[in-house]
Amino acid sequence: QVQLVESGGGLVQAGGSLRLSCAASGRTFSRSAMGWFRQAPGKEREFVAAISWGGLTIHYADSVKGRFTISRDNAKNTVYLQMNSLKPEDTAVYYCAATKTGWSVYEYDYWGQGTQVTVSS
């Protein structure tokens, strides 16, 4: 059974940092693209960042460029999202996602349950 489990969310003041982790299990994801999405209350889910299986191709939403960094450790089947200079508008539930194989920025086959990130002003 494939599982993606996010962790690392919480409450932080504006300007602070958080590091999200997503541990994947049930199969190897070393050939999969992995991504992060978020959904704020009353809004649609939106793309945040994506990384290719080798980590050489990375894509960010304009709203997080220069503040967020996505990375992965294939030996641990884990993807990370380092979030710096957080703003209240970053408040959302953050979801991890993975493809079965191959590259994608927006289309994924597996999803985690999400972790809440709240940024206070």
Side-chain angles (χ1 to χ4, degrees), residues 10 13 22 34 37 44 94-95 97 106:
Q13 288 188 333
C22 172
M34 299 191 77
F37 289 73
E44 293 187 353
Y94 282 71
Y95 297 91
Y106 303 114

Side-chain angles (χ1 to χ4, degrees), residues 10-114:
L11 174 64
V12 64
Q13 288 188 333
S17 298
L18 282 175
R19 189 195 194 203
L20 304 184
S21 299
C22 172
S25 61
R27 66 186 296 271
T28 180
F29 287 89
S30 60
R31 295 290 176 176
S32 302
M34 299 191 77
W36 288 96
F37 289 73
R38 66 187 182 185
Q39 187 167 19
K43 295 187 177 181
E44 293 187 353
R45 185 170 61 191
E46 64 174 0
F47 167 77
V48 175
I51 186 168
S52 63
W53 69 271
L56 296 181
T57 302
I58 290 176
H59 189 73
Y60 294 103
D62 288 342
S63 59
V64 306
K65 278 181 183 176
R67 299 188 298 122
F68 290 11
T69 302
I70 188 172
S71 62
R72 66 189 293 167
D73 184 338
N74 286 337
K76 296 181 178 179
N77 251 10
T78 300
V79 64
Y80 305 97
L81 186 68
Q82 178 67 42
M83 305 186 295
N84 298 329
S85 302
L86 282 161
K87 305 174 182 180
E89 51 263 45
D90 294 318
T91 295
V93 177
Y94 282 71
Y95 297 91
C96 170
T99 62
K100 287 183 179 178
T101 188
W103 172 246
S104 178
V105 175
Y106 303 114
E107 300 295 326
Y108 292 85
D109 302 293
Y110 306 109
W111 293 86
Q113 293 300 306

